[in-house]
Amino acid sequence: MPFFLDEDGPPRDAIALCFSGGGYRAMLFHAGAIWRLNELGLLRKIALVSSVSGGSIAAGVLAVALARTDLQWIGEHLTNLDQVFIRPILKQAGDGIDYEAITLGLLPWDHAFRHVAESYGRNFAGTRTLQDLPSQPEFVFNTTNLMSGRDMQFSRSLVLDWQVGSIRNPSFPLSEVIAASSAFPPFFRQPPSISAT
């Protein structure tokens, strides 16, 4: 299926994954899909992963996993997928962040978004930024910019809001990008600091 990997380049045939939303259920569903793609020997052939909401949690864990230097490939199969991908997914699934984040976020000096981002940082993202994403496959995290009402895309090479503009080679924390993508307004709204200006 042809698609654009680079806004300035021609379309080319490649495999792309689209991870939809649905909170932790979506995260776990997509984890199962990645497991099966690895069994089929297709995981290494993926060129693009585009995600939103709960799908962005799974995509974020996959991005962190594929950027590791201790991956063990035998042919087209990642033999330590359980260690580098499934275990962090299960660790995140065991972190019930919704009620705590919403309750603490109602305090005037706090923000629910911060608690969600801290959970992702604690469980899999650490202090990584968008610049720590692997170059292959390309990961695109989608969210809505609450300032413009438009789709906003975060990747290693570009942050893009079709109305506001773009930022080249962004260094936003990965945990905050995933939190912005998986946010559910008004409780988990993104703070102005994550918006493109």
Side-chain angles (χ1 to χ4, degrees):
M1 161 185 245
F3 64 87
F4 289 92
L5 277 179
D6 185 337
E7 61 187 18
D8 301 320
R12 66 180 178 85
D13 288 336
I15 297 175
L17 295 180
C18 298
F19 286 176
S20 61
Y24 276 10
R25 287 177 297 174
M27 174 186 72
L28 294 170
F29 176 86
H30 297 309
I34 289 297
W35 184 276
R36 183 65 177 139
L37 288 170
N38 187 51
E39 288 180 336
L40 295 172
L42 296 174
L43 184 59
R44 212 171 192 175
K45 299 177 181 177
I46 296 167
L48 175 72
V49 178
S50 181
S51 62
V52 69
S53 190
S56 286
I57 306 171
V61 177
L62 182 62
V64 169
L66 294 180
R68 290 176 60 147
T69 58
D70 61 345
L71 298 180
Q72 299 169 9
W73 293 96
I74 295 181
E76 298 300 322
H77 302 278
L78 182 58
T79 61
N80 61 338
L81 182 71
D82 179 67
Q83 174 192 345
V84 301
F85 177 68
I86 298 298
R87 289 182 193 175
I89 285 278
L90 295 177
K91 184 177 181 185
Q92 184 61 53
D95 194 350
I97 56 175
D98 47 2
Y99 295 116
E100 174 190 351
I102 291 171
T103 303
L104 294 174
L106 293 174
L107 300 172
W109 58 85
D110 209 344
H111 204 291
F113 177 90
R114 181 176 65 81
H115 293 280
V116 174
E118 285 176 354
S119 171
Y120 299 155
R122 186 170 58 243
N123 292 317
F124 65 88
T127 58
R128 294 171 183 86
T129 72
L130 288 172
Q131 292 307 302
D132 296 311
L133 295 176
S135 56
Q136 178 74 16
E138 180 179 0
F139 285 84
V140 179
F141 300 94
N142 298 278
T143 187
T144 301
N145 185 337
L146 297 181
M147 296 174 68
S148 68
R150 302 289 181 181
D151 177 54
M152 191 169 180
Q153 299 176 346
F154 293 84
S155 69
R156 185 174 185 245
S157 60
L158 187 70
V159 171
L160 179 63
D161 180 310
W162 300 102
Q163 182 173 334
V164 176
S166 63
I167 301 171
R168 295 274 178 186
N169 303 314
S171 58
F172 290 112
L174 182 59
S175 60
E176 291 186 10
V177 169
I178 297 170
S181 181
S182 63
F184 183 80
F187 298 112
F188 298 125
R189 67 194 183 283
Q190 65 202 40
S193 63
I194 199 74
S195 301
T197 53

